[in-house]
Every structure is written in structure tokens, then in C-alpha cells.
Amino acid sequence: MTELTLAKSLKIITSALAKGKELNLKPLCVVVLDAGGHVKASQRQDGASMMRFEIASGKAYGALAVGAGSRWLNLQAETRPHFLEGLSAVSGGKIVAVPGGVLVRDRKGAIIGAVGITGDTSDNDEACAIAGIDAAGYTPDAG
Amino acid sequence: MTELTLAKSLKIITSALAKGKELNLKPLCVVVLDAGGHVKASQRQDGASMMRFEIASGKAYGALAVGAGSRWLNLQAETRPHFLEGLSAVSGGKIVAVPGGVLVRDRKGAIIGAVGITGDTSDNDEACAIAGIDAAGYTPDAG
Amino acid sequence: MTELTLAKSLKIITSALAKGKELNLKPLCVVVLDAGGHVKASQRQDGASMMRFEIASGKAYGALAVGAGSRWLNLQAETRPHFLEGLSAVSGGKIVAVPGGVLVRDRKGAIIGAVGITGDTSDNDEACAIAGIDAAGYTPDAG
Amino acid sequence: MTELTLAKSLKIITSALAKGKELNLKPLCVVVLDAGGHVKASQRQDGASMMRFEIASGKAYGALAVGAGSRWLNLQAETRPHFLEGLSAVSGGKIVAVPGGVLVRDRKGAIIGAVGITGDTSDNDEACAIAGIDAAGYTPDAG
């Protein structure tokens, strides 16, 4: 498995924030988790509110939890909420099931990490995560 | 950034409770949090029930978490409940997503704290929080 | 049982903070709990650090938990730490077992609440709690 | 109060990691928290173990909790362990009381955040935190 390095993680964050600036979005927080769900790097822009780290992390963690971008989790939450409730419970309350948590896949399709972004609309958050992962040369999987 | 002082916090509480008396509301609890979500001051009126401190604090904490008054959170809970469930989980169970948690903004619009009130209807609780923040010379943001 | 009113709670806080000023202490946080361990009122002075509310509350909660001022808990922690560890666990992690948590007793000796103070040395914190309870016409019990 | 910006936070992290490289230390994790204890930015170097983010964050959080660098907490843990146990409990288990959590003070001495570092010895971790804060033009307070 390719390892998601700190250098690549910072490339993802920088590119995601550049996308946010290009789209004139509100202040964002970007969190990159490794394949085991542990924080590799994070940046919260000035003006982004208090719990944005936890929200961004929760999107990325949810994606890793089920091996699908958090957009898929969002759909699950709408169609069978009891699944998300159970998933949240067994995760110890670490999941936020709305779009913006995107898997990072290497060239062979293996999951090597996940990116979570929050601060603007969930759709815009997701677009920035995809842009960041693309820029780092990996394949985004938004669900 | 302006710091929300203890003196201003007490002015907010006193004015909010005066508003409650003027409107002939039930006994209230008022909690003022600083910008980081930490308790600056609180008062629970005689007759207000046991957990009113936690409820008031939870409204204010939720507002700070996302940078919007808790009325916005209330709407989110109605339209996409799984977002609120996730937010509550990653906060460690610190959020109460109903109206009555109002951000305190300084003249430049920066969030310098939040006020949470509970005891009467959520709308009345919110009206008191707004009155208190106004009286202290800051801008209330109810969501 | 006498009820510890909000008016009396504020008298305790104001008097305790006046004592702190008289003794030239560092910024303090004062929390008043009712007989059931629920927050009645609190004030954290400007410059008192982030978690002072939780520490002050933890001293007062510990005092109520065992019906003795937190100085007694401090002694227990030194002589049989496993008791404090168990107590902390069954309380759900709500207790800070150092001096500065003082019971409020009415004229008949009944426990009607507790005051917790933190910010300076534990001994000085306790002296302010005692001064505040005295000023309100109740009997302090520091353990 | 000065706000600890993302730009300054990144300057702290980059400088702290440069110090680690200069001293030939093991892979480090650096976390920068704002004055309210919320994550502003973080970087975990390749090879740093799984929970380094949580450890670094716990050092910084502990420093902010009591307004003293985590070296002071380390001393407290040795001389009156029950205080640290209580503090950990009321924090919800967020504190790691060993050196390496250093307060960031502005020119007026106000606490505007904290830096936590882990990966090498606690003394070396702390040296890097101090170097990072110095490089950003702020005053480190290691306790």
C-alpha cells in the first residue's frame, strides 16, 4: 500500500484551500486522516468556527469507517437512519454523515486515507476535497 | 479581537433576566460562554429546574460550534437530523439544538462569545438573550 | 431545609471575589452548586484560565458527594488514593479532590449547597470560599 | 487580545519541525490550539506513531486548562497526583501532563494559544515547541 505522507497531505490541504479561495467560499477547515483514521495534518482558516476540526474529522472518519465517501453515508442517513445511529455509536461518536468526507485512493484503488472539509455548504466542501486529492495525484472517492 | 469580560457578561445576564421579568416569563437560567466555549458566568433563577445550566450551556455551545445562532441548528435538526446527530456526537454530547443560543458579535462582527438561555419557550428564551446582548452594546446573532 | 437562593449565591460570589482582591490573589473562578450538585451561579474573572469553571465545580461537587469539604477529600487522596479513584469513577469524573470546595450549611447544620473556588493556591481558594459563605450568613464547612 | 492566526500557527509548526531536524530527533507531531483549546493546525511526521496527535493535543490542552506550561502539570502529577487525576476527569480525559505543552503568549503576556509536541523525549519535544513559538515572534511559557 502507498503511504500517505505528510508532504502529500500538505499538498492536499494547500490545494483544497486554493480551491476554496477560487470559489470564494467561507473559511474552511481541512483534516487529512491516514488509512487507520488517525490525524496526519490539519488546518483551520481564520474565521472558521470553533468545532470545525471535529466536524471535518468526523466526515473523513465516517468515510474510512465504511470505505465510501461521506456522501454515501448522507444517503444512508436519509434512507435508513438507524444504520447511521448504530455506526455512530460503535465508532464512539466520531462520525459526521454529510458530504465533504472524501476517500484518498492510490493508483491501484487502495484506500490510503481520507480528507474531511467543512465551513461552506457540504457540496462546496466536497468540491474542495476532490480538488485537493486530485492535485496530489491521487483518486478522490466522494461516495 | 475584543475580549468578552466578566463585567460585560454580568451586564448581559442582568439585562436578560430583566427582560424575562418584564415579559413575565418562567424562571430562567442564563449562561455566558467565551469565544472558546468556556463558561464565563451563569445564573439560574429560583424555581428553574435541575439541569437548566446544562441546557442553556448546550444552546450556547452549539452556536459557537458552527458559528451560527442555535435557531439555525434547530432548522438543521428538522431538515437533516443526521447532521445534528453527528455534530452532537463529535462535540462529546455538549449541544442542544433549539433556539435560545445566541452569538455575541463585536462591532467588527467577530464572535466573542455566546449566550444560552432556557426556562420558558425557546422563542422567549431567545428574546431575552438578544435583549441582554443588546444591552451590553454587542450585536446578537440568533441564527 | 433552607433553599440556597440565587440572591444568596450571588452574595457568596461577590464576597469571595472581594476577599480575593483584598488578599491580592490571582484571577479566580467561583461556582455555587445547590444541594443536589447543580450549578446555581458562577463567575470567572478575566485572566482566569480556560478550565477554571470545571475545576471549581469539581471541588464543590466532591464536597457534596461525601458531605465534607474537599480538604477532607484531599487527605483521603493522600492516604487511600483508591477511594478517590473509585469516587471519581462513580461520579462520572466530576470531582477534583483538593482544598477549595466548601460546604454551605444553614443554621441547623443542614447542607444546602457548596462553593468551589480555583485560581490561586488551594489554601487561598478555600479562604475566599469561607469568606463568601460567612458573608452570606451561612456556616462554611471546609473539611 | 491578539488572535493566533493560521499563518502564525504554520510558522510555529514549520520552525518546530526544523528544530527537530536540527537536533536529529525522532519523528514528531505538532499541534497548535487556539486560546479556547480548539485545533488550529497540526502536522504529524512520517513514522510518528498512531496516537501522536492526541498526545500532542493533550499536552497543549492541559497547559491551557490551568494557564501554565505542561511542565508545571508534570510536577503537580508527581507531588499531588490526585489533582491531576481530578483535572483529567473534569476535562473529559483531554489532558496529558508531561512536558511538551507550551503556552503561546503575546507581547502583553496574554495567552493566545498553546503548542503541544510529542515523538522524542519530553524535554526535546518541549525544546522544539519553544523554538517554534520564538520563531513566530511570540513568548513561550513552558511552565
Side-chain angles (χ1 to χ4, degrees):
Chain A
M1 191 182 83
T2 313
E3 190 193 335
L4 183 57
T5 62
L6 177 56
K8 284 285 193 178
S9 300
L10 294 176
K11 174 69 177 169
I12 291 173
I13 293 176
T14 306
S15 306
L17 293 178
K19 185 71 176 178
K21 188 175 180 185
E22 177 195 324
L23 298 177
N24 200 27
L25 304 187
K26 290 195 278 187
L28 302 176
C29 178
V30 186
V31 176
V32 178
L33 304 183
D34 66 18
H38 301 283
V39 182
K40 190 76 187 172
S42 67
Q43 292 183 27
R44 177 163 58 99
Q45 293 189 299
D46 303 331
S49 66
M50 195 173 91
M51 268 188 56
R52 291 293 167 188
F53 172 84
E54 286 80 4
I55 299 170
S57 182
K59 292 181 179 187
Y61 200 91
L64 289 165
V66 295
S70 64
R71 179 170 291 276
W72 182 83
L73 285 175
N74 187 59
L75 183 64
Q76 294 293 309
E78 290 170 354
T79 54
R80 43 177 195 160
H82 53 285
F83 172 59
L84 252 297
E85 286 159 18
L87 186 64
S88 172
V90 296
S91 78
K94 290 185 167 180
I95 291 173
V96 178
V98 299
V102 181
L103 293 174
V104 182
R105 292 187 184 272
D106 67 12
R107 291 185 178 189
K108 295 180 179 172
I111 296 169
I112 61 170
V115 177
I117 301 189
T118 181
D120 205 275
T121 66
S122 292
D123 286 349
N124 285 337
D125 297 339
E126 187 191 72
C128 293
I130 290 172
I133 296 166
D134 272 336
Y138 293 125
T139 305
D141 177 353
Chain B
M1 197 181 81
T2 313
E3 191 192 335
L4 183 56
T5 63
L6 177 57
K8 284 284 192 176
S9 300
L10 294 176
K11 174 68 177 171
I12 290 173
I13 293 176
T14 306
S15 305
L17 293 178
K19 186 69 176 180
K21 187 175 180 184
E22 176 195 325
L23 298 176
N24 200 28
L25 304 186
K26 289 195 279 186
L28 302 176
C29 178
V30 187
V31 176
V32 178
L33 304 183
D34 67 19
H38 301 284
V39 182
K40 191 76 189 174
S42 67
Q43 292 184 27
R44 178 164 56 100
Q45 292 189 300
D46 302 331
S49 64
M50 195 174 89
M51 268 187 57
R52 290 292 168 188
F53 172 85
E54 286 79 5
I55 299 170
S57 181
K59 293 181 179 187
Y61 200 90
L64 289 166
V66 294
S70 63
R71 179 170 290 277
W72 182 84
L73 286 175
N74 188 58
L75 183 64
Q76 293 291 310
E78 289 170 355
T79 55
R80 46 174 194 164
H82 55 287
F83 173 60
L84 252 296
E85 286 159 16
L87 185 65
S88 173
V90 295
S91 79
K94 289 187 167 180
I95 290 174
V96 178
V98 299
V102 181
L103 294 174
V104 181
R105 292 187 184 272
D106 67 12
R107 291 185 177 190
K108 294 180 180 171
I111 297 170
I112 61 170
V115 177
I117 301 189
T118 181
D120 205 276
T121 66
S122 291
D123 286 350
N124 284 338
D125 295 340
E126 187 191 74
C128 292
I130 290 171
I133 296 167
D134 273 335
Y138 293 124
T139 304
D141 177 352
Chain C
M1 191 182 84
T2 313
E3 191 193 335
L4 183 55
T5 62
L6 177 56
K8 285 285 193 177
S9 300
L10 294 176
K11 174 68 178 170
I12 290 173
I13 294 175
T14 306
S15 305
L17 292 178
K19 186 69 177 179
K21 188 175 180 185
E22 177 195 324
L23 298 177
N24 200 27
L25 303 186
K26 290 194 279 187
L28 301 176
C29 177
V30 186
V31 176
V32 178
L33 304 183
D34 66 18
H38 301 284
V39 182
K40 191 75 189 175
S42 67
Q43 292 184 26
R44 178 163 56 99
Q45 291 189 300
D46 302 331
S49 65
M50 197 175 90
M51 269 188 55
R52 292 292 167 188
F53 173 84
E54 286 80 4
I55 299 171
S57 182
K59 293 181 179 187
Y61 201 90
L64 288 165
V66 295
S70 64
R71 179 170 290 277
W72 182 83
L73 285 175
N74 187 58
L75 183 64
Q76 294 292 309
E78 289 170 355
T79 54
R80 45 175 194 160
H82 53 286
F83 173 58
L84 253 296
E85 286 159 18
L87 186 65
S88 172
V90 295
S91 79
K94 291 185 168 179
I95 290 174
V96 179
V98 298
V102 181
L103 293 174
V104 182
R105 292 186 183 273
D106 68 10
R107 293 188 176 184
K108 294 179 180 172
I111 297 169
I112 62 170
V115 177
I117 301 188
T118 182
D120 205 276
T121 66
S122 292
D123 287 349
N124 284 338
D125 295 340
E126 186 192 73
C128 293
I130 290 172
I133 296 167
D134 273 335
Y138 293 125
T139 305
D141 178 352
Chain D
M1 196 179 81
T2 313
E3 190 191 335
L4 184 56
T5 62
L6 177 56
K8 285 285 194 177
S9 301
L10 294 176
K11 174 69 177 170
I12 290 173
I13 293 176
T14 306
S15 306
L17 292 178
K19 185 71 177 178
K21 187 176 181 184
E22 176 196 325
L23 298 176
N24 200 27
L25 304 186
K26 290 194 279 187
L28 301 176
C29 178
V30 186
V31 176
V32 178
L33 304 183
D34 66 19
H38 301 283
V39 182
K40 191 76 189 173
S42 66
Q43 292 184 27
R44 178 164 57 98
Q45 292 189 300
D46 302 330
S49 65
M50 194 175 89
M51 267 186 59
R52 291 291 168 189
F53 172 84
E54 286 78 6
I55 299 170
S57 181
K59 292 181 180 186
Y61 200 90
L64 289 166
V66 295
S70 64
R71 180 170 290 277
W72 182 83
L73 286 175
N74 188 58
L75 182 64
Q76 293 291 309
E78 290 171 355
T79 53
R80 46 174 194 163
H82 55 287
F83 173 59
L84 252 297
E85 286 159 16
L87 185 65
S88 172
V90 295
S91 79
K94 291 187 167 179
I95 289 174
V96 178
V98 299
V102 180
L103 293 174
V104 182
R105 291 186 184 273
D106 67 12
R107 292 186 177 188
K108 294 180 180 171
I111 297 169
I112 61 170
V115 177
I117 301 189
T118 181
D120 205 276
T121 66
S122 290
D123 286 349
N124 284 337
D125 295 341
E126 187 191 72
C128 294
I130 289 172
I133 296 167
D134 273 335
Y138 294 125
T139 304
D141 178 351

